[in-house]
Amino acid sequence: MKAITIIQPWATLIAVGEKKFETRSWATKHRGDIAIHAGKKIDKKACAEPEIKAALERHGYTADNLPTGAVVATANLSDCHEVYIEHLGDAVLLKSGAPHTWIGQGNKEFAFGWYETGRYAWRMDEVEKLSEPLPAKGQQGLWNLANQF
């Protein structure tokens, strides 16, 4: 299974179903199963942002109890959208084929990602949080989870 390492709190936001898109500077052609690996780094400043803090608290998490260095969920990477900023209403257009997806600034998804023209939003569907984090070393880019064991 392919895996992606994501720093906290974003890995947990995906695992608990609060975040549907992982934003990256690069596109991927991979579609299908993907493991969500929480890296060892926790962005404590991001954890203090009101929307992120509230989302974590809804699921019993704080910056101090986020799992690190472990796979926390699996998902279906269903699409990779190129991001375009539309200046009508400051909406974000995620473009890949048709229909396009729109995310407005009032949407929590906008606060949970780095949406900028030229970046990419990877859509994560069918997310399943693991009952217990599975310790694993992460890597940059997409990597094979099976190589960890």
Side-chain angles (χ1 to χ4, degrees), residues 38-56:
K40 291 192 176 188
K41 181 179 177 188
I42 297 175
D43 185 333
K44 295 210 176 201
K45 184 177 177 183
C47 291
E49 291 291 324
E51 289 187 67
I52 292 173
K53 184 177 181 180
L56 292 172

Side-chain angles (χ1 to χ4, degrees), residues 23-36:
T23 54
R24 294 277 159 158
S25 63
W26 49 283
T28 182
K29 292 182 180 184
H30 175 73
R31 299 295 182 273
D33 292 340
I34 190 165
I36 307 301

Side-chain angles (χ1 to χ4, degrees), residues 9 12-20 47 49-63 65-66 106-112 129:
T12 291
L13 290 172
I14 292 170
V16 298
E18 294 279 348
K19 177 176 166 63
K20 303 289 184 213
C47 291
E49 291 291 324
E51 289 187 67
I52 292 173
K53 184 177 181 180
L56 292 172
E57 287 176 349
R58 281 193 290 274
H59 301 276
Y61 290 101
T62 68
N65 69 355
L66 291 169
N107 184 315
K108 70 180 178 183
E109 198 68 50
F110 195 86
F112 294 166
K129 182 178 175 277

Side-chain angles (χ1 to χ4, degrees), residues 73-143:
T74 61
N76 174 43
L77 196 168
S78 62
D79 209 345
C80 178
H81 301 273
E82 189 167 355
V83 176
Y84 291 90
I85 302 298
E86 290 286 328
H87 295 287
L88 297 173
D90 290 328
V92 174
L93 171 61
L94 304 181
K95 186 177 181 180
S96 82
H100 302 315
T101 300
W102 291 89
I103 297 177
Q105 285 191 6
N107 184 315
K108 70 180 178 183
E109 198 68 50
F110 195 86
F112 294 166
W114 179 0
Y115 293 95
E116 187 175 278
T117 296
R119 290 183 60 84
Y120 297 87
W122 300 13
R123 184 176 179 91
M124 304 289 178
D125 294 320
E126 303 168 32
V127 176
E128 292 186 29
K129 182 178 175 277
L130 299 185
S131 57
E132 291 293 324
L134 179 64
K137 272 182 84 172
Q139 296 180 31
Q140 292 185 340
L142 284 178
W143 48 277

